[in-house]
Amino acid sequence: MPTAKTNKTLGLLALAGLEPYEMKKGEEYMSEAQLEHFRLLLTAWRDQLREEVDRTVHHMQDEAANFPDPVDRAAQEEEFSLELRTRDRERKLIKKIEKTLKRIEDDDFGYCDACGIEIGVRRLEARPTADMCIDCKTMAEIKEKQLQG
């Protein structure tokens, strides 16, 4: 049984083959190095989602069969429906990633849309498409719950 402590990166950072960003002493927020870090992270995430969409299309073409038994046919249709719903969510996420990559190009990335403060590197690594700081997002969710009532 190994006793050495291993440092595992999970999630999007691991997908992109990146380590958590370490700010250098005196480094400006959203420096060119940070923007490149997030560009790589978002690009890897977008590419992975696009591969999933392609894989689903090929899977559905390969699995399409005309089952004589209505139960088998219904099960296959339900499976396809779930896959299509998942892919639709992924397509929306790809659009959001594209929008975020555009914000990086426009030098408008990393700041809250509501109040203008820095969102923070760690929050952006966890949720790279975030466009609100945690406080503004929390308040927006509270208001939304109150309106739903």
Side-chain angles (χ1 to χ4, degrees), residues 10 15 23 26 35 37 41 51 66-67 76 86 88 96 125 132:
L10 301 173
L15 174 73
M23 290 188 71
L35 291 174
H37 174 77
L41 183 64
E51 288 173 13
N66 193 5
F67 292 109
Q76 183 185 42
T86 300
D88 188 48
K96 197 168 184 180
E125 282 181 333
M132 295 175 93

Side-chain angles (χ1 to χ4, degrees), residues 6-135:
T6 58
N7 184 13
K8 292 184 177 180
T9 22
L10 301 173
L12 294 176
L13 289 172
L15 174 73
L18 299 171
E19 291 293 320
Y21 189 83
E22 295 297 327
M23 290 188 71
K24 290 142 189 81
K25 191 172 183 171
E27 183 178 9
E28 185 180 317
Y29 182 71
M30 284 303 126
S31 66
E32 198 55 46
Q34 289 176 23
L35 291 174
E36 183 60 26
H37 174 77
F38 287 109
R39 195 175 293 118
L40 290 171
L41 183 64
L42 288 161
T43 303
W45 191 16
R46 180 190 61 196
D47 293 346
Q48 185 260 341
L49 289 170
R50 284 181 176 167
E51 288 173 13
E52 281 294 315
V53 170
D54 291 343
R55 196 172 309 131
T56 298
V57 169
H58 295 302
H59 168 71
M60 290 178 76
Q61 288 171 343
D62 293 344
E63 292 294 316
N66 193 5
F67 292 109
D69 185 1
V71 174
D72 291 339
R73 192 173 321 134
Q76 183 185 42
E77 287 175 8
E78 179 66 21
E79 178 187 329
F80 284 177
S81 175
L82 290 172
E83 285 188 36
L84 290 172
R85 200 173 311 144
T86 300
R87 296 307 159 239
D88 188 48
R89 283 194 301 269
E90 289 173 347
R91 273 192 291 280
K92 289 177 184 175
L93 185 54
I94 289 170
K95 287 180 184 177
K96 197 168 184 180
I97 292 169
E98 294 286 348
K99 178 183 158 194
T100 304
L101 286 167
K102 178 78 171 118
R103 288 183 70 156
I104 290 174
E105 285 178 27
D106 296 342
D107 207 22
D108 187 30
F109 177 73
Y111 297 93
C112 179
D113 286 350
C115 67
I117 68 166
E118 299 173 356
I119 293 176
V121 173
R122 293 297 164 247
R123 173 161 163 70
L124 287 170
E125 282 181 333
R127 189 171 203 78
T129 57
D131 53 9
M132 295 175 93
C133 68
I134 195 72
D135 293 333

